[in-house]
Amino acid sequence: MEISLAQAKANAVSLAVRQSALERALADAQSQREQLNRDLGASRSEFAQKARLVEELESRLQDADQRVNEEQATVEGLREKLRSAEQEAKVETSVDNSEVKTLLGARDLHIVDVYDVESSGKTRRTYGRVYYVENKLLVFYAFDLQDRKRNRAAAGFQAWGYSHANSKQPENLGLFYVDDATTNRWALKVSDPGILQRIDTVFATLEPPGGSRSPRGQKLLYANLAGPPNHP
């Protein structure tokens, strides 16, 4: 009986020791969990701060992109004005004073871009321009007509005009002449009111050096004059 009691006491002491160890382990685990929770909270706070920083940087980037686009649009507008001013200056150097006054002082002045006609019949914008004062004066500029790559070296470049209502009978506007050899600029002027009243479209063809009575060669350039005046 005494042995059983002693054994029970020993078992109780052993259980108490193990319980104490378990309690310490539990306390350590709880402490670690609390530390992990604190670390997690700090990480979440840091992540939120970084997320706000990213949003702020993205907003700044969008603002910067918008400003760049606006500045590019402004620059392009200035370049277009410069090109127009340069073209007008070229007009002034190639026509006489009375024609300059007619062109630049007219309320019904059309400034029309010229399109290059490819062999397939499609058109693409090229560096050419028509200045047209309704029923008074037409000045047709074109560049790089004499293009050896397109077999245009030794030929006449002739302009024609027609009305959409009568496109089968084009008017002969004459042959282009070299207006500025350094820039390979060609020009043609028409000041006959009778002819100008009968046309609303102009085009150029590749003809023999002396020209033709009617267009027979390849169509090179095209411009539509039918729109409203666009240069007050």
Side-chain angles (χ1 to χ4, degrees):
M1 183 68 177
E2 291 179 356
I3 295 175
S4 297
L5 181 60
Q7 184 66 38
K9 288 181 178 179
N11 290 339
V13 170
S14 177
L15 289 173
V17 171
R18 288 201 298 270
Q19 182 179 1
S20 178
L22 289 173
E23 288 176 350
R24 288 195 300 271
L26 178 60
D28 290 341
Q30 289 176 341
S31 177
Q32 291 177 3
R33 185 183 66 179
E34 291 174 356
Q35 183 62 43
L36 289 174
N37 286 335
R38 288 193 294 269
D39 293 343
L40 180 60
S43 297
R44 287 175 176 172
S45 177
E46 183 180 0
F47 177 80
Q49 291 177 354
K50 290 183 178 179
R52 287 193 296 271
L53 179 60
V54 169
E55 290 178 357
E56 182 180 353
L57 292 175
E58 288 179 347
S59 177
R60 291 180 180 178
L61 180 60
Q62 290 176 355
D63 291 341
D65 287 341
Q66 183 177 355
R67 288 196 297 271
V68 168
N69 292 335
E70 291 174 352
E71 291 176 358
Q72 287 177 342
T74 300
V75 169
E76 185 58 32
L78 292 174
R79 286 177 177 171
E80 183 62 29
K81 289 181 180 179
L82 178 60
R83 285 193 290 266
S84 297
E86 289 175 345
Q87 190 67 21
E88 290 179 1
K90 291 175 182 177
V91 171
E92 293 181 6
T93 61
S94 61
V95 297
D96 59 37
N97 290 335
S98 62
E99 290 173 336
V100 169
K101 292 179 180 179
T102 300
L103 283 174
L104 303 184
R107 291 181 177 272
D108 52 357
L109 173 62
H110 302 247
I111 300 179
V112 183
D113 289 323
V114 175
Y115 287 80
D116 186 18
V117 181
E118 299 178 343
S119 58
S120 62
K122 295 182 179 180
T123 59
R124 61 182 178 87
R125 191 168 179 174
T126 188
Y127 195 58
R129 187 163 287 181
V130 173
Y131 293 80
Y132 171 57
V133 180
E134 294 179 3
N135 303 328
K136 292 182 181 179
L137 178 65
L138 181 146
V139 181
F140 192 155
Y141 288 102
F143 288 81
D144 300 323
L145 286 178
Q146 201 170 43
D147 187 348
R148 295 183 183 276
K149 294 181 180 179
R150 299 187 181 183
N151 298 320
R152 299 180 184 175
F157 304 103
Q158 194 164 356
W160 311 86
Y162 66 86
S163 168
H164 281 84
N166 189 18
S167 60
K168 294 183 179 180
Q169 295 182 352
E171 299 276 352
N172 180 7
L173 304 182
L175 291 168
F176 283 88
Y177 60 90
V178 178
D179 182 60
D180 187 344
T182 59
T183 60
N184 198 12
R185 184 179 72 189
W186 297 65
L188 176 139
K189 291 184 287 186
V190 181
S191 57
D192 186 334
I195 292 177
L196 295 176
Q197 288 175 0
R198 296 192 295 270
I199 66 173
D200 58 20
T201 303
V202 293
F203 65 97
T205 58
L206 186 66
E207 303 293 343
S212 301
R213 292 185 178 181
S214 60
R216 293 182 296 176
Q218 176 188 352
K219 184 181 288 188
L220 307 177
L221 304 174
Y222 170 87
N224 189 343
L225 311 177
N230 58 1
H231 194 82

